[in-house]
């Protein structure tokens, strides 16, 4: 299959947990730095953050935390706090704290060499994606992706299908898309958009239910173009 084939493949990568293990040492640390800078005595430890991850989106996660654990802070400016958190995240990423998962760069290169399209479908902020890809793959890395859908592009974040549906609208009609995800929320989003999905287990989401996945892997080492092709041939079960 090449990009000129009647069915032109596009491999749509999730970001957090999939391209890189960004959550524990990236987003979580950045949230805590922003809380401290704002004079808040909140601290999201590794275990609590695992629970909070069920809420996708940083602003939504802060709002959920306030509702559950800090109702006295209902007046906090969530948008400002989140903007500072993303600034802290960009600093961490630029300092090299977060690397791509082993095998990701190799797979991206192979997809490009095959003439297939690359895409990103994430519920994180665009600034975070830009910071990560620039640090990990170099300046202009985002231009390698035919479609880049981020949290601010959609009304509803994963597990809603909006982000994947938008990606499909931005790709040529003959595209055969395959998603690569690490979480149940991501899998449900892609599945609801009718996109077959491979799961590569990550630190925080390894124990989740991936029943709807075309295949589940523990690492990218086991994934090659043939594996992607097999998954592309499958339609998601109803
Ligand atoms: C990951 C998320 C994000 C990040 C934080 O989604 O849920 O909310 O934790 O990012 P995905 P923001 O795996 O789909 O990328 O603070 O920018 O929202
Ligand atoms: Mg993810």
């Amino acid at each position: 299959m090449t990009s000129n084939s009647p069915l032109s493949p596009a491999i749509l990568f999730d970001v957090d947990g999939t391209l890189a293990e960004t959550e524990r040492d990236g987003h979580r640390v950045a949230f805590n730095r922003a809380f401290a800078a704002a004079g808040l005595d909140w601290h999201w430890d590794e275990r609590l953050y695992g629970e909070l991850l069920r809420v996708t989106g940083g602003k939504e996660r802060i709002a959920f935390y306030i509702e559950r654990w800090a109702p006295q802070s209902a007046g906090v400016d969530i948008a400002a706090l989140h903007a500072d958190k993303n600034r802290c995240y960009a600093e961490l990423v630029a300092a090299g704290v977060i690397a791509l998962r082993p095998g990701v760069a190799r797979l991206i290169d192979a997809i490009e060499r095959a003439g297939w399209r690359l895409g990103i479908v994430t519920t994180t902020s665009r600034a975070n994606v830009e910071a990560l890809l620039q640090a990990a793959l170099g300046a202009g890395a985002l231009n390698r992706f035919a479609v880049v859908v981020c949290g601010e592009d959609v009304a509803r974040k994963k597990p809603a299908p909006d982000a994947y549906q938008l990606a499909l609208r931005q790709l040529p009609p003959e595209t055969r898309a395959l998603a690569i995800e690490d979480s149940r929320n991501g899998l449900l989003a892609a599945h609801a958009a009718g996109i077959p999905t491979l799961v590569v287990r990550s630190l925080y989401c390894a124990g989740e239910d991936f029943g709807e996945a075309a295949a589940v892997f523990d690492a990218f080492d086991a994934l090659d173009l043939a594996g992607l092709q097999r998954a592309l041939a499958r339609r998601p079960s109803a």
Side-chain angles (χ1 to χ4, degrees):
M1 271 189 284
T2 72
S3 55
N4 299 321
S5 304
L7 290 177
S8 175
I11 310 301
L12 307 178
F13 285 88
D14 167 50
V15 174
D16 298 295
T18 301
L19 287 183
E21 287 284 9
T22 55
E23 296 290 4
R24 188 189 62 190
D25 303 329
H27 290 295
R28 186 186 68 87
V29 172
F31 277 114
N32 285 330
R33 285 188 184 173
F35 299 157
L40 295 162
D41 64 351
W42 309 345
H43 179 78
W44 290 359
D45 65 24
E46 290 180 25
R47 195 199 51 79
L48 171 61
Y49 194 68
E51 285 179 39
L52 293 171
L53 271 181
R54 268 180 266 138
V55 179
T56 54
K59 287 196 283 285
E60 292 83 351
R61 196 167 296 146
I62 295 170
F64 175 79
Y65 176 79
I66 292 173
E67 197 185 303
R68 276 287 178 86
W69 284 285
Q72 69 285 1
S73 303
V76 161
D77 184 345
I78 294 178
L81 199 54
H82 183 250
D84 193 41
K85 172 262 164 184
N86 279 354
R87 196 190 49 71
C88 294
Y89 178 81
E91 268 175 24
L92 287 166
V93 165
V97 169
I98 308 291
L100 293 183
R101 292 181 65 178
V104 165
R106 173 193 55 78
L107 190 61
I108 286 176
D109 288 346
I111 292 166
E112 264 182 341
R113 275 200 306 274
W116 300 0
R117 288 188 175 81
L118 289 162
I120 284 179
V121 180
T122 175
T123 51
T124 201
S125 315
R126 186 168 293 268
N128 297 340
V129 178
E130 286 168 358
L132 178 69
L133 289 190
Q134 174 157 341
L137 289 172
L142 224 53
N143 300 331
R144 297 168 70 180
F145 295 82
V147 61
V148 180
V149 176
C150 301
E152 50 272 81
D153 300 330
V154 289
R156 299 179 307 163
K157 294 186 176 161
K158 300 173 188 176
D162 302 30
Y164 280 103
Q165 288 169 339
L166 179 58
L168 290 180
R169 287 199 296 276
Q170 292 179 357
L171 287 162
E174 73 278 11
T175 301
R176 188 88 178 244
L178 173 71
I180 305 185
E181 279 282 355
D182 72 302
S183 70
R184 174 142 193 85
N185 278 331
L187 169 61
L188 289 176
H191 187 260
I195 300 174
T197 305
L198 291 180
V199 169
V200 185
R201 287 194 180 90
S202 64
L203 205 58
Y204 269 121
C205 304
E208 295 183 349
D209 173 10
F210 298 126
E212 298 85 351
V216 181
F217 296 87
D218 286 324
F220 278 90
D221 308 351
L223 248 182
D224 56 12
L225 286 188
L228 298 184
Q229 236 155 356
R230 275 193 298 278
L232 271 163
R234 292 187 49 169
R235 304 314 302 155
S237 52

